[in-house]
Amino acid sequence: MNIDFSGRELRDFGLAWVALAVAFTFFIVSTAGAGYSPLSLLQRAGEGLVAEVFVASFLTVGVAFLLHELAHKVVAIHYGQVAEFRADYTMLALAVGAGLAGFLFAAPGAVYHRGYLNERENAFIALAGPLTNVALAVAFFPLFLLGGFLGEVGQLGVTINAALAAFNMLPFGPLDGRKVRNWSTVGFGAAFLVCAGLAVIAILYVGFPY
């Protein structure tokens, strides 16, 4: 299986990764009780808390998004598709603006693919993203046990990936869950229970570090 990336795709991945990290940094810091206004967040971007949250967001939110989309691409190519990621710059700008305003919103783009697919193949392409986030949540958990900054990275990594998996398994609109449900109600139910259950456990017992 040959997986290639165009220059535009690599640029879109990189810009989306950074923009999401910035958006989540603004959101987390502005809602963490630090008393920062949108203007002061921009003015104090180099200070300790903002820099720490940005690094943690870059390593967790960014990785969660990147590997989620890469999983879609790899499985699509496995089924003979031409697949490539495209960032949505309007949505990325809105995500950064929402973060400044203290709201969480992220729709960075998607992997687009073309070629013939049956419902099972389309469902497996969709399912690859949330299951990758489930695996990442498990992988981040040992870091959570370490404490310190690495513990904070692990804590954010577990919760963000679990929440992202559950959200994408909702059976509505363009989300992955709808494509899985279109193929198999039983398969969707099993995957949704795993993703939603992990999200509930992560939010209640792991939580957010800030």
Side-chain angles (χ1 to χ4, degrees):
M1 182 171 58
N2 188 26
I3 302 174
D4 295 318
F5 298 90
S6 68
R8 177 181 176 181
E9 185 176 25
L10 291 174
R11 180 195 66 195
D12 279 10
F13 266 130
L15 290 175
W17 190 345
V18 172
L20 281 177
V22 170
F24 271 76
T25 297
F26 287 159
F27 169 75
I28 291 171
V29 174
S30 66
T31 57
Y36 290 162
S37 67
L39 179 60
S40 66
L41 273 173
L42 293 173
Q43 292 172 336
R44 305 172 72 172
E47 294 188 4
L49 176 62
V50 179
E52 179 180 320
V53 175
F54 174 78
V55 172
S57 297
F58 188 81
L59 295 175
T60 55
V61 178
V63 169
F65 145 76
L66 177 65
L67 293 186
H68 178 106
E69 296 299 334
L70 280 177
H72 287 320
K73 178 183 175 79
V74 169
V75 179
I77 292 173
H78 170 75
Y79 287 124
Q81 301 285 288
V82 176
E84 190 155 323
F85 174 77
R86 287 289 180 266
D88 188 324
Y89 293 106
T90 299
M91 292 300 182
L92 287 172
L94 287 174
V96 173
L100 276 170
F103 297 99
L104 186 57
F105 173 82
V111 169
Y112 295 92
H113 51 84
R114 65 178 185 271
Y116 172 77
L117 287 171
N118 58 42
E119 284 191 344
R120 175 181 175 274
E121 292 167 339
N122 201 35
F124 279 22
I125 292 171
L127 193 57
L131 291 185
T132 295
N133 292 124
V134 169
L136 283 171
V138 173
F140 272 109
F141 186 74
L143 285 180
F144 168 57
L145 302 177
L146 295 178
F149 177 68
L150 287 179
E152 293 175 350
V153 170
Q155 187 175 11
L156 189 59
V158 170
T159 304
I160 286 295
N161 275 286
L164 186 60
F167 174 76
N168 276 280
M169 279 306 301
L170 293 174
F172 307 114
L175 296 175
D176 299 323
R178 182 176 182 180
K179 298 169 186 175
V180 178
R181 188 190 63 179
N182 288 342
W183 164 61
S184 169
T185 302
V186 174
F188 163 76
F192 181 80
L193 285 175
V194 169
C195 294
L198 181 63
V200 170
I201 292 170
I203 291 170
L204 291 179
Y205 298 105
V206 178
F208 291 92
Y210 304 102

